[in-house]
Amino acid sequence: MSELVEDLAVTGHSDGAARDKGLRGGALGLVSNVVIGMSSTAPAYSIAATLGLLVLAGTGVKAVAFIVVAFIPIVFVSFAFRELNSVEQDCGTNFTWAARAFGSRTGWMVGWAVTIAQLLVMTSQSAITGRYTLLLFGLDSLADNKVLTTAVGSVWLLGLCYLCYRGIEISAKVQWCLLGIELSILAIFSVVALVRVYSGTAGPQALHVSWSWFWPSGIGLGAFVSATLLAVFIYWGWESSLSINEESADPAHAPGKAAVLSTVLLVGNYLLITIAAVAFAGVGETGIGLGNKDNSEDVLAGLGHAVFGSGGWGQVFGALLVISVLTSGAASSQATIMPAARTTLSMAWHGALPKAFGRVHPVYRTPSVSTWAFGGVALALYIGLTVLSENVLSDSVDAVGLAIAVEYGMTALSCVWVFRRTLRSSWRNLWMRGVLPGLGALFFGLVLVAAVVEYAQPDSGETTVFGIGGVAVIGVASILIGVPLMALIYRSCRDYFEGRALPKGVVPPGGDTIETGPAALRR
């Protein structure tokens, strides 16, 4: 393999790549990149659905500490994304970079793992939007109706697919609106909760914030692993800002900056909400306490009326809190569809999937076939899992964590491998391209092993298969399905799999430019 050198400049993969694929180059600025990265994580829903489980894992008030613990490897991996994007701006991101580092088969499997994670998480997001739409209109008695919530969630999914198909600019504007509503409401909730705690009107369960909350001491190994697994994956999604790199005004730098900035903004947002919720509700096992199992699936819904009261304004802000979770789910769904469609578009453009997936709408300049294909498969999976069993649907969502660990671990490892010969050229390269991404890769490798062991326990999820936890079975099986699928399309994608369409790194004479894709083949 030819070696990459420091400060590689990419030929044909900024504005040229956007023109080659047909995407609208220069459409998005840095702020839009950050908005899309943050929206993908669904901040309101992530906290609502995870905070109670964090407390129940045995952390108590130390749930705050695990928000910080999880942030550290996440930001390390974000450095890897930024560095790889600086030398090759391709909307396939993980797929392209892994193929560059380790070859076509590894790249294909990483692309598959990312797509599987996005498909599985769409089932959860569709369920959220279906349920919270009914709650918003006061139809609480119907919110548990499987048929109705599935129908409403399906309408949301198709509508969001249409927005993504309609154009990147309108998609970004909708993201701005949804994220703005969501973060504003969460900020109001947090401030009101903390004011009530320190004014003495929050109730006897309230706690004053302590510095000890920020250090994960006194937590057993099992609880530490479980809490870390939970906390890490509330950050997933920030890398969506990289998938729109070819449509960014500064493709070599803005998406990478947005990725790192998104993680920093997310940890601040998560810390504020977590501290406010723990301080106001406490960690007791009764009432509004975060240790109450009855509240664990959605702690914000239970805290809304308690924080804002039952008066007129209380009802208004309680409804706004429901809206924040609804917009969170909708924004996250939309920001999941965009990168998923661009991953398959890139795979098709490089010859790793049938050419049809590489079609771009001539007017909207968005992935047309890939967007609707992803939406159709996600819809079928959502309906199928819902009909099959709510327990299977729940375990399928939890299984996303395994695919995410593969995605983050392989991207960080790709960074270290691609830049391995240039790490000693400067302290900056050593840390940003070697040590920190390497630690991120090691962490997610260990997380993957720990997650499989943890989820394989018969009592870890809602289902079991031959005595093995359903989460582990679904997660491992969904990733390994990629192997026979890869074999199935091998003949029709021979140029890709034999390394001709997407070679490992083709460095021309002089060693300061990397040419890729068709440009490399013409040399």
PDB file of all heavy atoms in Angstrom, residues 44-76:
ATOM      1  N   ALA A  44     -33.205  15.464  23.459  1.00  0.00           N
ATOM      2  CA  ALA A  44     -34.319  15.350  24.410  1.00  0.00           C
ATOM      3  C   ALA A  44     -34.705  13.900  24.632  1.00  0.00           C
ATOM      4  O   ALA A  44     -34.855  13.445  25.770  1.00  0.00           O
ATOM      5  CB  ALA A  44     -35.523  16.147  23.909  1.00  0.00           C
ATOM      6  N   TYR A  45     -34.883  13.146  23.544  1.00  0.00           N
ATOM      7  CA  TYR A  45     -35.287  11.762  23.705  1.00  0.00           C
ATOM      8  C   TYR A  45     -34.171  10.920  24.320  1.00  0.00           C
ATOM      9  O   TYR A  45     -34.438  10.032  25.133  1.00  0.00           O
ATOM     10  CB  TYR A  45     -35.711  11.148  22.372  1.00  0.00           C
ATOM     11  CG  TYR A  45     -36.048   9.684  22.524  1.00  0.00           C
ATOM     12  CD1 TYR A  45     -37.215   9.297  23.180  1.00  0.00           C
ATOM     13  CD2 TYR A  45     -35.178   8.699  22.083  1.00  0.00           C
ATOM     14  CE1 TYR A  45     -37.513   7.959  23.383  1.00  0.00           C
ATOM     15  CE2 TYR A  45     -35.469   7.356  22.273  1.00  0.00           C
ATOM     16  CZ  TYR A  45     -36.639   6.990  22.927  1.00  0.00           C
ATOM     17  OH  TYR A  45     -36.920   5.674  23.121  1.00  0.00           O
ATOM     18  N   SER A  46     -32.933  11.190  23.924  1.00  0.00           N
ATOM     19  CA  SER A  46     -31.816  10.409  24.460  1.00  0.00           C
ATOM     20  C   SER A  46     -31.767  10.491  25.979  1.00  0.00           C
ATOM     21  O   SER A  46     -31.594   9.476  26.666  1.00  0.00           O
ATOM     22  CB  SER A  46     -30.495  10.900  23.861  1.00  0.00           C
ATOM     23  OG  SER A  46     -30.452  10.648  22.476  1.00  0.00           O
ATOM     24  N   ILE A  47     -31.920  11.706  26.512  1.00  0.00           N
ATOM     25  CA  ILE A  47     -31.928  11.866  27.965  1.00  0.00           C
ATOM     26  C   ILE A  47     -33.190  11.274  28.573  1.00  0.00           C
ATOM     27  O   ILE A  47     -33.138  10.579  29.602  1.00  0.00           O
ATOM     28  CB  ILE A  47     -31.806  13.360  28.333  1.00  0.00           C
ATOM     29  CG1 ILE A  47     -30.370  13.832  28.112  1.00  0.00           C
ATOM     30  CG2 ILE A  47     -32.208  13.609  29.776  1.00  0.00           C
ATOM     31  CD1 ILE A  47     -29.347  13.218  29.060  1.00  0.00           C
ATOM     32  N   ALA A  48     -34.331  11.527  27.947  1.00  0.00           N
ATOM     33  CA  ALA A  48     -35.602  11.031  28.487  1.00  0.00           C
ATOM     34  C   ALA A  48     -35.592   9.515  28.631  1.00  0.00           C
ATOM     35  O   ALA A  48     -36.085   8.962  29.625  1.00  0.00           O
ATOM     36  CB  ALA A  48     -36.757  11.461  27.584  1.00  0.00           C
ATOM     37  N   ALA A  49     -35.026   8.821  27.634  1.00  0.00           N
ATOM     38  CA  ALA A  49     -35.078   7.362  27.614  1.00  0.00           C
ATOM     39  C   ALA A  49     -33.899   6.690  28.317  1.00  0.00           C
ATOM     40  O   ALA A  49     -33.959   5.494  28.603  1.00  0.00           O
ATOM     41  CB  ALA A  49     -35.143   6.874  26.168  1.00  0.00           C
ATOM     42  N   THR A  50     -32.829   7.448  28.587  1.00  0.00           N
ATOM     43  CA  THR A  50     -31.603   6.831  29.101  1.00  0.00           C
ATOM     44  C   THR A  50     -31.308   7.178  30.548  1.00  0.00           C
ATOM     45  O   THR A  50     -30.730   6.365  31.283  1.00  0.00           O
ATOM     46  CB  THR A  50     -30.399   7.242  28.220  1.00  0.00           C
ATOM     47  OG1 THR A  50     -30.684   6.935  26.858  1.00  0.00           O
ATOM     48  CG2 THR A  50     -29.142   6.510  28.647  1.00  0.00           C
ATOM     49  N   LEU A  51     -31.683   8.374  30.999  1.00  0.00           N
ATOM     50  CA  LEU A  51     -31.285   8.825  32.328  1.00  0.00           C
ATOM     51  C   LEU A  51     -31.796   7.900  33.423  1.00  0.00           C
ATOM     52  O   LEU A  51     -31.052   7.537  34.350  1.00  0.00           O
ATOM     53  CB  LEU A  51     -31.777  10.254  32.567  1.00  0.00           C
ATOM     54  CG  LEU A  51     -31.392  10.872  33.912  1.00  0.00           C
ATOM     55  CD1 LEU A  51     -29.894  10.789  34.157  1.00  0.00           C
ATOM     56  CD2 LEU A  51     -31.881  12.316  33.995  1.00  0.00           C
ATOM     57  N   GLY A  52     -33.054   7.489  33.338  1.00  0.00           N
ATOM     58  CA  GLY A  52     -33.601   6.580  34.341  1.00  0.00           C
ATOM     59  C   GLY A  52     -32.857   5.256  34.368  1.00  0.00           C
ATOM     60  O   GLY A  52     -32.579   4.693  35.435  1.00  0.00           O
ATOM     61  N   LEU A  53     -32.504   4.753  33.185  1.00  0.00           N
ATOM     62  CA  LEU A  53     -31.773   3.489  33.104  1.00  0.00           C
ATOM     63  C   LEU A  53     -30.364   3.627  33.680  1.00  0.00           C
ATOM     64  O   LEU A  53     -29.838   2.694  34.284  1.00  0.00           O
ATOM     65  CB  LEU A  53     -31.702   3.019  31.645  1.00  0.00           C
ATOM     66  CG  LEU A  53     -33.048   2.713  30.984  1.00  0.00           C
ATOM     67  CD1 LEU A  53     -32.848   2.346  29.520  1.00  0.00           C
ATOM     68  CD2 LEU A  53     -33.765   1.585  31.722  1.00  0.00           C
ATOM     69  N   LEU A  54     -29.756   4.803  33.486  1.00  0.00           N
ATOM     70  CA  LEU A  54     -28.443   5.050  34.068  1.00  0.00           C
ATOM     71  C   LEU A  54     -28.496   4.967  35.589  1.00  0.00           C
ATOM     72  O   LEU A  54     -27.639   4.342  36.230  1.00  0.00           O
ATOM     73  CB  LEU A  54     -27.944   6.438  33.665  1.00  0.00           C
ATOM     74  CG  LEU A  54     -27.056   6.562  32.433  1.00  0.00           C
ATOM     75  CD1 LEU A  54     -26.735   8.029  32.166  1.00  0.00           C
ATOM     76  CD2 LEU A  54     -25.785   5.760  32.589  1.00  0.00           C
ATOM     77  N   VAL A  55     -29.507   5.595  36.166  1.00  0.00           N
ATOM     78  CA  VAL A  55     -29.663   5.567  37.624  1.00  0.00           C
ATOM     79  C   VAL A  55     -29.936   4.147  38.096  1.00  0.00           C
ATOM     80  O   VAL A  55     -29.343   3.674  39.076  1.00  0.00           O
ATOM     81  CB  VAL A  55     -30.789   6.517  38.062  1.00  0.00           C
ATOM     82  CG1 VAL A  55     -31.066   6.368  39.557  1.00  0.00           C
ATOM     83  CG2 VAL A  55     -30.420   7.964  37.740  1.00  0.00           C
ATOM     84  N   LEU A  56     -30.799   3.439  37.384  1.00  0.00           N
ATOM     85  CA  LEU A  56     -31.143   2.067  37.762  1.00  0.00           C
ATOM     86  C   LEU A  56     -29.966   1.108  37.600  1.00  0.00           C
ATOM     87  O   LEU A  56     -29.936   0.042  38.227  1.00  0.00           O
ATOM     88  CB  LEU A  56     -32.327   1.574  36.916  1.00  0.00           C
ATOM     89  CG  LEU A  56     -33.689   2.191  37.251  1.00  0.00           C
ATOM     90  CD1 LEU A  56     -34.726   1.768  36.218  1.00  0.00           C
ATOM     91  CD2 LEU A  56     -34.133   1.781  38.653  1.00  0.00           C
ATOM     92  N   ALA A  57     -28.998   1.474  36.775  1.00  0.00           N
ATOM     93  CA  ALA A  57     -27.814   0.624  36.600  1.00  0.00           C
ATOM     94  C   ALA A  57     -26.944   0.594  37.843  1.00  0.00           C
ATOM     95  O   ALA A  57     -25.995  -0.197  37.925  1.00  0.00           O
ATOM     96  CB  ALA A  57     -26.990   1.106  35.409  1.00  0.00           C
ATOM     97  N   GLY A  58     -27.267   1.438  38.812  1.00  0.00           N
ATOM     98  CA  GLY A  58     -26.518   1.449  40.068  1.00  0.00           C
ATOM     99  C   GLY A  58     -25.652   2.671  40.261  1.00  0.00           C
ATOM    100  O   GLY A  58     -24.822   2.715  41.174  1.00  0.00           O
ATOM    101  N   THR A  59     -25.853   3.708  39.438  1.00  0.00           N
ATOM    102  CA  THR A  59     -25.003   4.890  39.528  1.00  0.00           C
ATOM    103  C   THR A  59     -25.549   5.934  40.505  1.00  0.00           C
ATOM    104  O   THR A  59     -24.788   6.731  41.046  1.00  0.00           O
ATOM    105  CB  THR A  59     -24.844   5.561  38.156  1.00  0.00           C
ATOM    106  OG1 THR A  59     -26.127   6.024  37.698  1.00  0.00           O
ATOM    107  CG2 THR A  59     -24.276   4.577  37.144  1.00  0.00           C
ATOM    108  N   GLY A  60     -26.874   5.965  40.686  1.00  0.00           N
ATOM    109  CA  GLY A  60     -27.460   6.993  41.539  1.00  0.00           C
ATOM    110  C   GLY A  60     -27.141   8.381  41.017  1.00  0.00           C
ATOM    111  O   GLY A  60     -27.226   8.640  39.814  1.00  0.00           O
ATOM    112  N   VAL A  61     -26.696   9.276  41.904  1.00  0.00           N
ATOM    113  CA  VAL A  61     -26.355  10.636  41.489  1.00  0.00           C
ATOM    114  C   VAL A  61     -25.113  10.660  40.595  1.00  0.00           C
ATOM    115  O   VAL A  61     -24.851  11.648  39.908  1.00  0.00           O
ATOM    116  CB  VAL A  61     -26.132  11.555  42.714  1.00  0.00           C
ATOM    117  CG1 VAL A  61     -27.417  11.712  43.510  1.00  0.00           C
ATOM    118  CG2 VAL A  61     -25.012  11.014  43.596  1.00  0.00           C
ATOM    119  N   LYS A  62     -24.346   9.580  40.591  1.00  0.00           N
ATOM    120  CA  LYS A  62     -23.148   9.496  39.761  1.00  0.00           C
ATOM    121  C   LYS A  62     -23.488   9.352  38.272  1.00  0.00           C
ATOM    122  O   LYS A  62     -22.586   9.293  37.428  1.00  0.00           O
ATOM    123  CB  LYS A  62     -22.293   8.300  40.172  1.00  0.00           C
ATOM    124  CG  LYS A  62     -21.858   8.316  41.636  1.00  0.00           C
ATOM    125  CD  LYS A  62     -20.713   9.256  41.871  1.00  0.00           C
ATOM    126  CE  LYS A  62     -20.200   9.136  43.295  1.00  0.00           C
ATOM    127  NZ  LYS A  62     -19.019   9.976  43.540  1.00  0.00           N
ATOM    128  N   ALA A  63     -24.781   9.312  37.936  1.00  0.00           N
ATOM    129  CA  ALA A  63     -25.172   9.311  36.524  1.00  0.00           C
ATOM    130  C   ALA A  63     -24.569  10.515  35.810  1.00  0.00           C
ATOM    131  O   ALA A  63     -24.219  10.444  34.625  1.00  0.00           O
ATOM    132  CB  ALA A  63     -26.693   9.330  36.404  1.00  0.00           C
ATOM    133  N   VAL A  64     -24.430  11.614  36.557  1.00  0.00           N
ATOM    134  CA  VAL A  64     -23.808  12.821  35.995  1.00  0.00           C
ATOM    135  C   VAL A  64     -22.383  12.518  35.538  1.00  0.00           C
ATOM    136  O   VAL A  64     -21.953  12.948  34.461  1.00  0.00           O
ATOM    137  CB  VAL A  64     -23.809  13.955  37.048  1.00  0.00           C
ATOM    138  CG1 VAL A  64     -23.065  15.175  36.516  1.00  0.00           C
ATOM    139  CG2 VAL A  64     -25.236  14.321  37.437  1.00  0.00           C
ATOM    140  N   ALA A  65     -21.648  11.771  36.337  1.00  0.00           N
ATOM    141  CA  ALA A  65     -20.255  11.469  36.014  1.00  0.00           C
ATOM    142  C   ALA A  65     -20.140  10.677  34.718  1.00  0.00           C
ATOM    143  O   ALA A  65     -19.192  10.866  33.941  1.00  0.00           O
ATOM    144  CB  ALA A  65     -19.614  10.688  37.160  1.00  0.00           C
ATOM    145  N   PHE A  66     -21.099   9.798  34.458  1.00  0.00           N
ATOM    146  CA  PHE A  66     -20.995   8.951  33.275  1.00  0.00           C
ATOM    147  C   PHE A  66     -21.280   9.712  31.986  1.00  0.00           C
ATOM    148  O   PHE A  66     -20.887   9.271  30.905  1.00  0.00           O
ATOM    149  CB  PHE A  66     -21.886   7.723  33.425  1.00  0.00           C
ATOM    150  CG  PHE A  66     -21.287   6.700  34.345  1.00  0.00           C
ATOM    151  CD1 PHE A  66     -21.548   6.733  35.712  1.00  0.00           C
ATOM    152  CD2 PHE A  66     -20.419   5.738  33.868  1.00  0.00           C
ATOM    153  CE1 PHE A  66     -20.977   5.816  36.573  1.00  0.00           C
ATOM    154  CE2 PHE A  66     -19.833   4.812  34.721  1.00  0.00           C
ATOM    155  CZ  PHE A  66     -20.112   4.851  36.079  1.00  0.00           C
ATOM    156  N   ILE A  67     -21.962  10.855  32.091  1.00  0.00           N
ATOM    157  CA  ILE A  67     -22.109  11.715  30.919  1.00  0.00           C
ATOM    158  C   ILE A  67     -20.731  12.224  30.495  1.00  0.00           C
ATOM    159  O   ILE A  67     -20.424  12.322  29.303  1.00  0.00           O
ATOM    160  CB  ILE A  67     -23.041  12.905  31.243  1.00  0.00           C
ATOM    161  CG1 ILE A  67     -24.446  12.411  31.648  1.00  0.00           C
ATOM    162  CG2 ILE A  67     -23.120  13.851  30.056  1.00  0.00           C
ATOM    163  CD1 ILE A  67     -25.169  11.665  30.573  1.00  0.00           C
ATOM    164  N   VAL A  68     -19.883  12.518  31.488  1.00  0.00           N
ATOM    165  CA  VAL A  68     -18.519  12.985  31.213  1.00  0.00           C
ATOM    166  C   VAL A  68     -17.626  11.823  30.776  1.00  0.00           C
ATOM    167  O   VAL A  68     -16.844  11.944  29.825  1.00  0.00           O
ATOM    168  CB  VAL A  68     -17.918  13.681  32.453  1.00  0.00           C
ATOM    169  CG1 VAL A  68     -16.501  14.157  32.162  1.00  0.00           C
ATOM    170  CG2 VAL A  68     -18.800  14.841  32.889  1.00  0.00           C
ATOM    171  N   VAL A  69     -17.733  10.686  31.459  1.00  0.00           N
ATOM    172  CA  VAL A  69     -16.922   9.509  31.123  1.00  0.00           C
ATOM    173  C   VAL A  69     -17.139   9.105  29.664  1.00  0.00           C
ATOM    174  O   VAL A  69     -16.185   8.812  28.931  1.00  0.00           O
ATOM    175  CB  VAL A  69     -17.270   8.332  32.056  1.00  0.00           C
ATOM    176  CG1 VAL A  69     -16.649   7.025  31.551  1.00  0.00           C
ATOM    177  CG2 VAL A  69     -16.789   8.612  33.474  1.00  0.00           C
ATOM    178  N   ALA A  70     -18.392   9.100  29.225  1.00  0.00           N
ATOM    179  CA  ALA A  70     -18.703   8.697  27.856  1.00  0.00           C
ATOM    180  C   ALA A  70     -18.206   9.710  26.830  1.00  0.00           C
ATOM    181  O   ALA A  70     -17.859   9.346  25.694  1.00  0.00           O
ATOM    182  CB  ALA A  70     -20.209   8.509  27.699  1.00  0.00           C
ATOM    183  N   PHE A  71     -18.167  10.970  27.216  1.00  0.00           N
ATOM    184  CA  PHE A  71     -17.744  12.025  26.291  1.00  0.00           C
ATOM    185  C   PHE A  71     -16.289  11.860  25.867  1.00  0.00           C
ATOM    186  O   PHE A  71     -15.928  12.167  24.716  1.00  0.00           O
ATOM    187  CB  PHE A  71     -17.943  13.389  26.955  1.00  0.00           C
ATOM    188  CG  PHE A  71     -17.243  14.522  26.259  1.00  0.00           C
ATOM    189  CD1 PHE A  71     -17.703  14.998  25.040  1.00  0.00           C
ATOM    190  CD2 PHE A  71     -16.114  15.105  26.817  1.00  0.00           C
ATOM    191  CE1 PHE A  71     -17.059  16.041  24.391  1.00  0.00           C
ATOM    192  CE2 PHE A  71     -15.462  16.149  26.182  1.00  0.00           C
ATOM    193  CZ  PHE A  71     -15.940  16.623  24.968  1.00  0.00           C
ATOM    194  N   ILE A  72     -15.434  11.369  26.749  1.00  0.00           N
ATOM    195  CA  ILE A  72     -13.990  11.319  26.480  1.00  0.00           C
ATOM    196  C   ILE A  72     -13.665  10.459  25.254  1.00  0.00           C
ATOM    197  O   ILE A  72     -13.011  10.934  24.315  1.00  0.00           O
ATOM    198  CB  ILE A  72     -13.227  10.838  27.730  1.00  0.00           C
ATOM    199  CG1 ILE A  72     -13.401  11.869  28.864  1.00  0.00           C
ATOM    200  CG2 ILE A  72     -11.748  10.626  27.412  1.00  0.00           C
ATOM    201  CD1 ILE A  72     -12.883  11.404  30.204  1.00  0.00           C
ATOM    202  N   PRO A  73     -14.098   9.182  25.187  1.00  0.00           N
ATOM    203  CA  PRO A  73     -13.789   8.412  23.969  1.00  0.00           C
ATOM    204  C   PRO A  73     -14.512   8.936  22.738  1.00  0.00           C
ATOM    205  O   PRO A  73     -14.011   8.802  21.617  1.00  0.00           O
ATOM    206  CB  PRO A  73     -14.253   6.990  24.320  1.00  0.00           C
ATOM    207  CG  PRO A  73     -15.263   7.171  25.401  1.00  0.00           C
ATOM    208  CD  PRO A  73     -14.788   8.339  26.191  1.00  0.00           C
ATOM    209  N   ILE A  74     -15.691   9.543  22.941  1.00  0.00           N
ATOM    210  CA  ILE A  74     -16.436  10.095  21.811  1.00  0.00           C
ATOM    211  C   ILE A  74     -15.648  11.221  21.151  1.00  0.00           C
ATOM    212  O   ILE A  74     -15.517  11.280  19.917  1.00  0.00           O
ATOM    213  CB  ILE A  74     -17.816  10.614  22.272  1.00  0.00           C
ATOM    214  CG1 ILE A  74     -18.738   9.446  22.632  1.00  0.00           C
ATOM    215  CG2 ILE A  74     -18.454  11.484  21.193  1.00  0.00           C
ATOM    216  CD1 ILE A  74     -19.156   8.590  21.458  1.00  0.00           C
ATOM    217  N   VAL A  75     -15.093  12.122  21.948  1.00  0.00           N
ATOM    218  CA  VAL A  75     -14.338  13.228  21.358  1.00  0.00           C
ATOM    219  C   VAL A  75     -13.039  12.720  20.732  1.00  0.00           C
ATOM    220  O   VAL A  75     -12.581  13.259  19.721  1.00  0.00           O
ATOM    221  CB  VAL A  75     -14.077  14.343  22.408  1.00  0.00           C
ATOM    222  CG1 VAL A  75     -12.959  13.970  23.369  1.00  0.00           C
ATOM    223  CG2 VAL A  75     -13.777  15.671  21.718  1.00  0.00           C
ATOM    224  N   PHE A  76     -12.457  11.655  21.272  1.00  0.00           N
ATOM    225  CA  PHE A  76     -11.268  11.060  20.652  1.00  0.00           C
ATOM    226  C   PHE A  76     -11.598  10.554  19.244  1.00  0.00           C
ATOM    227  O   PHE A  76     -10.825  10.750  18.300  1.00  0.00           O
ATOM    228  CB  PHE A  76     -10.740   9.901  21.500  1.00  0.00           C
ATOM    229  CG  PHE A  76     -10.069  10.326  22.785  1.00  0.00           C
ATOM    230  CD1 PHE A  76      -9.648   9.376  23.703  1.00  0.00           C
ATOM    231  CD2 PHE A  76      -9.869  11.671  23.075  1.00  0.00           C
ATOM    232  CE1 PHE A  76      -9.027   9.758  24.889  1.00  0.00           C
ATOM    233  CE2 PHE A  76      -9.249  12.057  24.265  1.00  0.00           C
ATOM    234  CZ  PHE A  76      -8.832  11.104  25.174  1.00  0.00           C
TER     235      PHE A  76
END
